[in-house]
Amino acid sequence: MSLSAHILLQNVSVEFPILSFRDRSLRRRFMRAVTPFMARPQTQTQTHVVSALNDITLDIRAGDRVALVGANGAGKTTLLRVLAGIYHPTSGHADVSGRCLSLFDLAAGFDEEATGYENIMRRGLVVGARRAEIEARRAEIADFTELGDKLDLPLRTYSSGMMLRLIFAVATAVEGEIVLLDEWIGVGDQQFRRKARQRLDDIVARAGILVLASHDIDLLRSSCNRAVLLQQGRVAATGTVDEIIARYLAATGEARG
C-alpha cells in the first residue's frame, strides 16, 4: 500500500455555465452572423449556472476506502472527475498527491479504425502512462484480453464483449496510488469476470486510497471503511459506511437489513 497518497479538498465548488435555449438556437446564431451591421435589439446573452459541487471539504488519507453515497445527480461523478483532474474547481482548492487510476469513462481514447494493439497504446497514453511503460506491458495486456490474433484487427470488427475485454485490460494495466471507481466493473463472460474481479481486487489492495461511487450497498459495505453522503452537490454527512448508508436509506424512505 502506498503511504504517500493523500487527497485534500478545501471548500471546492464546481459550476457549469449553460446558455439558455434561446441563445443556443441555430436560427438566432444564423441571424447574428448574416446581419452583423444591421440594427438589432441590444439583448444580453442569458447564461445560467449549474452548481455541481458546493463547498466540498474532505481529507482522505492512505488506508482510506471511501464510499460516495447519494442519489443520482448528487455530485458523485463530478467529485470523482475533480479528483482525477478532469474538472478544475471553480473555487476552492484540490490537492491530490499520488498517481490516480481513474476507472470511469473507460472508452475514451479508443479509435474504431485502429487495431486492438494500436488502441492499447492510445488508451495507455490517455490514462497517463509513459510510452515505454505501455510497450513493456503490451504483451501482458494482450494476454489478459484473450483476444489473440483479433488484436491485429480494427475495433469496428469487434463484438461488444471483445471491446469490453480490451477496454478493461488496458484501463487496469497501469496501477495507481489512488483508485477512483464509478461503480465496480464487471465485464465479459463468467470466467473472464472472475479474472477481472481478481485483478481489480489486487489493484485496490495495493492502492493507498480507494474512492468508490456506487448504489450497491453490499459492495460499499464490503469494500469501504469510510463514507461520504452527498446531497445536491454538498457533503451532508461523513462517517462509517453503516452510519451513512442508514442515513441515506432513511432519507430515501428505503429499508435495508
Side-chain angles (χ1 to χ4, degrees):
M1 176 188 296
S2 172
L3 299 178
S4 62
H6 186 210
I7 295 170
L8 180 61
L9 304 184
Q10 296 177 304
N11 307 112
V12 167
S13 296
V14 174
E15 296 179 342
F16 299 111
I18 300 176
L19 293 178
S20 69
F21 176 78
R22 180 183 178 186
D23 292 310
R24 289 186 292 114
S25 68
L26 289 174
R27 182 177 181 275
R28 187 174 181 83
R29 283 186 286 175
F30 174 75
M31 292 302 295
R32 285 180 174 176
V34 299
T35 58
F37 304 109
M38 294 178 61
R40 55 176 180 259
Q42 296 297 313
T43 58
Q44 293 183 341
T45 299
Q46 295 183 356
T47 302
H48 301 280
V49 174
V50 174
S51 295
L53 295 179
N54 296 280
D55 200 29
I56 301 290
T57 295
L58 291 171
D59 189 358
I60 304 173
R61 298 178 178 273
D64 285 341
R65 269 71 179 122
V66 178
L68 299 183
V69 181
N72 290 332
K76 301 187 299 296
T77 300
T78 301
L79 179 53
L80 286 175
R81 288 176 175 168
V82 168
L83 299 181
I86 298 171
Y87 293 161
H88 296 287
T90 306
S91 62
H93 181 69
D95 184 11
V96 179
S97 301
R99 184 179 189 175
C100 286
L101 175 61
S102 306
L103 296 178
F104 51 86
D105 297 335
L106 296 185
F110 282 85
D111 180 357
E112 289 193 349
E113 296 302 319
T115 68
Y117 279 119
E118 289 168 342
N119 274 289
I120 288 174
M121 178 61 70
R122 289 174 61 93
R123 173 62 189 185
L125 294 173
V126 166
V127 300
R130 297 182 298 275
R131 183 175 294 273
E133 187 178 6
I134 305 167
E135 290 176 346
R137 305 199 66 172
R138 182 173 180 266
E140 177 189 337
I141 296 169
D143 182 63
F144 189 88
T145 67
E146 301 177 356
L147 293 177
D149 293 341
K150 292 183 175 62
L151 289 170
D152 291 312
L153 300 176
L155 257 62
R156 57 183 167 77
T157 66
Y158 284 27
S159 66
S160 59
M162 292 165 62
M163 275 288 296
L164 286 172
R165 286 178 176 233
L166 179 62
I167 288 170
F168 179 85
V170 178
T172 57
V174 179
E175 296 189 10
E177 297 165 293
I178 299 170
V179 176
L180 308 174
L181 264 170
D182 197 350
E183 296 293 350
W184 206 268
I185 304 170
V187 295
D189 54 31
Q190 185 173 356
Q191 180 179 351
F192 191 81
R193 279 200 302 272
R194 284 197 296 268
K195 185 169 74 166
R197 177 60 189 254
Q198 184 60 58
R199 170 177 273 200
L200 203 50
D201 286 344
D202 292 343
I203 289 173
V204 169
R206 289 192 290 269
I209 291 172
L210 167 69
V211 183
L212 169 62
S214 178
H215 292 285
D216 187 333
I217 291 172
D218 293 331
L219 173 63
L220 296 178
R221 282 175 169 157
S222 64
S223 304
C224 301
N225 56 20
R226 288 182 58 191
V228 175
L229 177 61
L230 293 174
Q231 293 177 344
Q232 298 181 337
R234 296 182 180 275
V235 173
T238 61
T240 68
V241 178
D242 285 339
E243 289 170 347
I244 296 304
I245 287 175
R247 179 164 174 168
Y248 171 67
L249 294 179
T252 56
E254 298 181 43
R256 183 70 181 267

